[in-house]
Coordinates of all heavy atoms in Angstrom, one line a residue:
S53 N 14.4 6.0 1.6 CA 15.7 5.3 1.8 C 16.4 5.0 0.5 O 17.6 5.1 0.4 CB 15.4 4.0 2.5 OG 14.9 4.2 3.8
A54 N 15.6 4.7 -0.5 CA 16.1 4.5 -1.9 C 16.8 5.8 -2.4 O 17.9 5.7 -3.0 CB 15.1 4.0 -2.8
Q55 N 16.1 6.9 -2.2 CA 16.7 8.2 -2.6 C 18.0 8.5 -1.9 O 19.0 8.9 -2.5 CB 15.7 9.3 -2.4 CG 14.5 9.2 -3.4 CD 13.5 10.3 -3.2 OE1 13.3 10.8 -2.0 NE2 12.8 10.7 -4.2
V56 N 18.0 8.3 -0.6 CA 19.1 8.5 0.2 C 20.3 7.6 -0.2 O 21.5 8.0 -0.2 CB 18.8 8.4 1.7 CG1 20.1 8.4 2.6 CG2 17.9 9.4 2.2
A57 N 20.0 6.4 -0.6 CA 21.0 5.5 -1.0 C 21.5 5.8 -2.4 O 22.5 5.1 -2.9 CB 20.4 4.0 -1.0
G58 N 21.0 6.8 -3.1 CA 21.5 7.2 -4.4 C 20.9 6.4 -5.6 O 21.5 6.4 -6.6
Q59 N 19.7 5.8 -5.4 CA 19.1 5.1 -6.5 C 18.7 6.1 -7.6 O 18.3 7.2 -7.3 CB 17.9 4.4 -6.0 CG 18.1 3.3 -4.9 CD 18.9 2.1 -5.5 OE1 18.5 1.5 -6.5 NE2 20.0 1.8 -4.9
T60 N 18.8 5.6 -8.8 CA 18.5 6.5 -10.0 C 17.0 6.6 -10.1 O 16.2 5.7 -9.5 CB 19.0 5.9 -11.3 OG1 18.4 4.6 -11.5 CG2 20.5 5.7 -11.2
P61 N 16.4 7.6 -10.8 CA 15.0 7.6 -11.0 C 14.4 6.4 -11.6 O 13.3 5.9 -11.2 CB 14.8 8.9 -11.9 CG 16.0 9.7 -11.5 CD 17.1 8.8 -11.3
D62 N 15.1 5.8 -12.5 CA 14.6 4.5 -13.1 C 14.5 3.4 -12.1 O 13.6 2.6 -12.1 CB 15.5 4.1 -14.3 CG 15.3 5.0 -15.5 OD1 14.2 5.6 -15.7 OD2 16.2 5.1 -16.4
Q63 N 15.5 3.3 -11.2 CA 15.5 2.3 -10.2 C 14.3 2.6 -9.2 O 13.7 1.6 -8.7 CB 16.8 2.3 -9.4 CG 18.0 1.7 -10.3 CD 19.3 1.9 -9.6 OE1 19.6 3.0 -9.0 NE2 20.2 0.9 -9.7
I64 N 14.1 3.8 -8.9 CA 13.0 4.1 -8.0 C 11.6 3.8 -8.7 O 10.7 3.3 -8.0 CB 13.1 5.6 -7.6 CG1 14.3 5.8 -6.7 CG2 11.8 6.0 -6.8 CD1 14.6 7.2 -6.2
R65 N 11.5 4.1 -10.0 CA 10.3 3.7 -10.7 C 10.0 2.2 -10.6 O 8.9 1.8 -10.4 CB 10.4 4.2 -12.2 CG 10.2 5.6 -12.4 CD 10.1 6.0 -13.9 NE 10.1 7.5 -14.0 CZ 11.2 8.2 -14.1 NH1 12.4 7.6 -14.2 NH2 11.2 9.5 -14.2
E66 N 11.1 1.4 -10.8 CA 10.9 0.0 -10.7 C 10.5 -0.4 -9.3 O 9.7 -1.3 -9.1 CB 12.3 -0.7 -11.0 CG 12.2 -2.2 -11.1 CD 13.5 -2.8 -11.5 OE1 14.2 -2.3 -12.4 OE2 13.8 -3.9 -10.9
L67 N 11.1 0.3 -8.3 CA 10.7 0.0 -6.9 C 9.2 0.4 -6.6 O 8.5 -0.4 -5.9 CB 11.6 0.8 -5.9 CG 11.4 0.7 -4.4 CD1 11.5 -0.8 -4.0 CD2 12.4 1.6 -3.7
V68 N 8.8 1.5 -7.2 CA 7.4 1.9 -7.1 C 6.5 0.8 -7.7 O 5.4 0.4 -7.1 CB 7.1 3.2 -7.7 CG1 5.6 3.5 -7.9 CG2 7.8 4.3 -6.9
Q69 N 6.8 0.2 -8.8 CA 6.1 -0.9 -9.4 C 6.0 -2.1 -8.5 O 5.0 -2.7 -8.4 CB 6.6 -1.2 -10.8 CG 6.4 -0.2 -11.8 CD 7.0 -0.5 -13.2 OE1 7.8 -1.4 -13.3 NE2 6.7 0.3 -14.2
Q70 N 7.1 -2.4 -7.9 CA 7.2 -3.5 -7.0 C 6.3 -3.3 -5.8 O 5.6 -4.2 -5.3 CB 8.6 -3.8 -6.5 CG 9.5 -4.3 -7.6 CD 11.0 -4.4 -7.2 OE1 11.3 -4.0 -6.0 NE2 11.9 -4.8 -8.1
L71 N 6.3 -2.1 -5.2 CA 5.5 -1.8 -4.1 C 4.0 -1.9 -4.4 O 3.2 -2.3 -3.6 CB 5.8 -0.4 -3.6 CG 7.1 -0.2 -2.9 CD1 7.5 1.2 -2.6 CD2 7.2 -1.0 -1.6
H72 N 3.6 -1.4 -5.6 CA 2.2 -1.6 -6.1 C 1.8 -3.1 -6.2 O 0.7 -3.4 -5.8 CB 2.0 -0.9 -7.4 CG 1.9 0.6 -7.3 ND1 1.8 1.4 -8.4 CD2 1.9 1.4 -6.2 CE1 1.7 2.7 -8.0 NE2 1.7 2.7 -6.6
A73 N 2.7 -3.9 -6.7 CA 2.5 -5.3 -6.8 C 2.3 -5.9 -5.4 O 1.5 -6.8 -5.2 CB 3.6 -6.0 -7.6
Q74 N 3.2 -5.5 -4.4 CA 3.1 -6.0 -3.1 C 1.8 -5.6 -2.4 O 1.3 -6.4 -1.6 CB 4.3 -5.4 -2.2 CG 5.6 -6.1 -2.5 CD 6.7 -5.5 -1.7 OE1 6.5 -4.6 -0.9 NE2 7.9 -6.0 -2.0
R75 N 1.2 -4.5 -2.8 CA -0.1 -4.1 -2.2 C -1.1 -5.2 -2.5 O -1.9 -5.7 -1.6 CB -0.6 -2.8 -2.8 CG 0.0 -1.6 -2.2 CD -0.6 -0.4 -2.8 NE 0.0 0.9 -2.4 CZ -0.4 2.1 -2.8 NH1 -1.4 2.2 -3.7 NH2 0.3 3.1 -2.4
A76 N -1.2 -5.7 -3.7 CA -2.1 -6.7 -4.1 C -1.8 -8.0 -3.4 O -2.7 -8.8 -3.0 CB -2.1 -6.9 -5.6
E77 N -0.5 -8.4 -3.3 CA -0.1 -9.6 -2.6 C -0.5 -9.6 -1.1 O -0.9 -10.6 -0.6 CB 1.4 -9.9 -2.8 CG 1.8 -10.2 -4.2 CD 1.1 -11.4 -4.7 OE1 0.9 -12.4 -4.0 OE2 0.6 -11.4 -5.9
R78 N -0.3 -8.4 -0.5 CA -0.6 -8.3 0.9 C -2.1 -8.5 1.1 O -2.6 -9.1 2.1 CB -0.2 -6.9 1.5 CG 1.2 -6.8 1.7 CD 1.5 -5.3 2.2 NE 2.9 -5.2 2.5 CZ 3.4 -5.0 3.7 NH1 2.6 -4.9 4.7 NH2 4.7 -4.9 3.9
F79 N -2.9 -7.9 0.2 CA -4.4 -8.1 0.3 C -4.8 -9.5 0.1 O -5.6 -10.1 0.9 CB -5.0 -7.2 -0.8 CG -6.5 -7.3 -0.7 CD1 -7.2 -6.7 0.4 CD2 -7.3 -7.9 -1.7 CE1 -8.6 -6.8 0.5 CE2 -8.6 -7.9 -1.6 CZ -9.3 -7.4 -0.5
K80 N -4.2 -10.2 -0.8 CA -4.4 -11.7 -1.0 C -4.1 -12.5 0.2 O -4.8 -13.4 0.6 CB -3.7 -12.2 -2.2 CG -4.2 -11.8 -3.6 CD -3.4 -12.4 -4.7 CE -3.8 -11.9 -6.0 NZ -3.0 -12.4 -7.1
A81 N -3.0 -12.1 0.8 CA -2.5 -12.9 2.0 C -3.5 -12.6 3.2 O -3.7 -13.6 4.0 CB -1.1 -12.4 2.4
L82 N -4.1 -11.5 3.3 CA -5.0 -11.2 4.3 C -6.3 -12.0 4.1 O -7.0 -12.4 5.0 CB -5.4 -9.7 4.4 CG -4.3 -8.8 5.0 CD1 -4.7 -7.4 4.8 CD2 -4.0 -9.1 6.4
L83 N -6.7 -12.2 2.8 CA -7.9 -13.0 2.5 C -7.7 -14.5 2.6 O -8.7 -15.2 2.8 CB -8.4 -12.6 1.1 CG -8.9 -11.2 0.9 CD1 -9.3 -11.0 -0.5 CD2 -10.1 -10.9 1.8
M84 N -6.5 -15.0 2.5 CA -6.3 -16.4 2.5 C -6.9 -17.1 3.7 O -7.6 -18.1 3.5 CB -4.8 -16.7 2.4 CG -4.2 -16.4 1.1 SD -5.0 -17.3 -0.2 CE -4.3 -18.8 -0.1
P85 N -6.8 -16.7 4.9 CA -7.4 -17.4 6.0 C -9.0 -17.5 5.9 O -9.6 -18.5 6.1 CB -7.0 -16.6 7.3 CG -5.8 -15.9 6.9 CD -5.9 -15.6 5.5
A86 N -9.6 -16.4 5.4 CA -11.0 -16.3 5.2 C -11.4 -17.3 4.1 O -12.5 -18.0 4.2 CB -11.5 -14.9 4.9
Q87 N -10.6 -17.4 3.1 CA -11.0 -18.3 2.0 C -10.8 -19.8 2.4 O -11.6 -20.6 2.0 CB -10.1 -18.0 0.8 CG -10.4 -16.7 0.1 CD -9.4 -16.3 -1.0 OE1 -8.4 -17.0 -1.2 NE2 -9.7 -15.3 -1.7
T88 N -9.8 -20.1 3.2 CA -9.7 -21.5 3.5 C -10.8 -21.9 4.5 O -11.2 -23.1 4.4 CB -8.3 -21.7 4.2 OG1 -8.2 -20.9 5.3 CG2 -7.2 -21.5 3.2
T89 N -11.3 -21.1 5.4 CA -12.3 -21.5 6.3 C -13.6 -21.6 5.6 O -14.5 -22.5 5.9 CB -12.5 -20.6 7.5 OG1 -12.7 -19.2 7.0 CG2 -11.2 -20.6 8.4
S90 N -13.9 -20.8 4.6 CA -15.1 -20.9 3.8 C -15.2 -22.0 2.9 O -16.2 -22.5 2.5 CB -15.4 -19.6 3.1 OG -14.4 -19.4 2.1
A91 N -14.0 -22.5 2.5 CA -13.9 -23.7 1.6 C -14.3 -25.0 2.3 O -14.9 -25.9 1.7 CB -12.5 -23.8 1.0
S92 N -14.0 -25.1 3.6 CA -14.4 -26.3 4.3 C -15.8 -26.1 4.9 O -16.1 -25.1 5.5 CB -13.4 -26.6 5.5 OG -13.4 -25.5 6.4
P93 N -16.7 -27.1 4.7 CA -18.1 -27.0 5.1 C -18.2 -26.9 6.6 O -19.1 -26.3 7.1 CB -18.8 -28.2 4.5 CG -17.7 -29.1 4.2 CD -16.4 -28.4 4.0
V94 N -17.4 -27.6 7.3 CA -17.5 -27.7 8.8 C -16.2 -27.4 9.4 O -15.2 -28.0 9.0 CB -18.0 -29.1 9.2 CG1 -18.1 -29.2 10.7 CG2 -19.3 -29.4 8.6
P95 N -16.1 -26.4 10.3 CA -14.8 -26.1 11.0 C -14.3 -27.4 11.7 O -15.0 -28.3 12.1 CB -15.2 -25.0 12.0 CG -16.4 -24.4 11.5 CD -17.2 -25.5 10.8
A96 N -13.0 -27.4 11.9 CA -12.3 -28.6 12.5 C -12.8 -28.8 14.0 O -12.8 -29.9 14.4 CB -10.8 -28.4 12.5
N97 N -13.2 -27.7 14.7 CA -13.5 -27.9 16.1 C -15.0 -28.2 16.3 O -15.5 -28.3 17.4 CB -13.1 -26.7 16.9 CG -13.9 -25.4 16.4 OD1 -14.5 -25.4 15.3 ND2 -13.8 -24.4 17.2
V98 N -15.8 -28.5 15.2 CA -17.2 -28.8 15.3 C -17.4 -30.3 14.9 O -16.9 -30.7 13.9 CB -18.0 -27.9 14.4 CG1 -19.5 -28.3 14.4 CG2 -17.9 -26.5 14.8
V99 N -18.1 -31.0 15.7 CA -18.4 -32.4 15.4 C -19.8 -32.5 14.8 O -20.8 -32.0 15.4 CB -18.3 -33.2 16.7 CG1 -18.7 -34.7 16.5 CG2 -17.0 -33.1 17.4
Q100 N -19.9 -33.1 13.7 CA -21.2 -33.3 13.0 C -21.9 -34.5 13.6 O -21.3 -35.5 13.9 CB -21.0 -33.5 11.5 CG -21.0 -32.2 10.7 CD -21.0 -32.5 9.3 OE1 -20.3 -33.3 8.8 NE2 -21.9 -31.8 8.6
L101 N -23.1 -34.3 13.9 CA -24.0 -35.4 14.5 C -24.6 -36.1 13.3 O -25.3 -35.4 12.5 CB -25.0 -34.8 15.4 CG -24.4 -34.1 16.7 CD1 -25.6 -33.5 17.5 CD2 -23.6 -35.0 17.5
V102 N -24.5 -37.4 13.3 CA -25.1 -38.2 12.2 C -26.6 -38.3 12.5 O -27.0 -38.6 13.6 CB -24.4 -39.5 12.1 CG1 -25.1 -40.4 11.1 CG2 -22.9 -39.4 11.9
G103 N -27.4 -38.0 11.5 CA -28.8 -38.2 11.6 C -29.5 -37.0 12.3 O -30.6 -37.1 12.7
A104 N -28.7 -35.9 12.6 CA -29.3 -34.8 13.3 C -30.2 -34.0 12.3 O -30.0 -33.9 11.1 CB -28.3 -33.9 13.8
A105 N -31.4 -33.5 12.8 CA -32.3 -32.8 12.0 C -31.7 -31.4 11.6 O -31.1 -30.8 12.5 CB -33.6 -32.6 12.7

Side-chain angles (χ1 to χ4, degrees):
S53 296
Q55 288 176 334
V56 170
Q59 298 292 305
T60 66
D62 287 334
Q63 291 171 320
I64 292 175
R65 283 185 189 95
E66 186 176 321
L67 180 58
V68 166
Q69 290 175 351
Q70 291 172 359
L71 290 170
H72 282 176
Q74 284 178 2
R75 284 182 183 180
E77 292 301 319
R78 284 176 179 251
F79 182 68
K80 285 180 187 177
L82 288 173
L83 290 181
M84 289 303 280
Q87 289 175 351
T88 56
T89 56
S90 64
S92 61
V94 179
N97 64 345
V98 175
V99 177
Q100 274 189 308
L101 299 176
V102 179

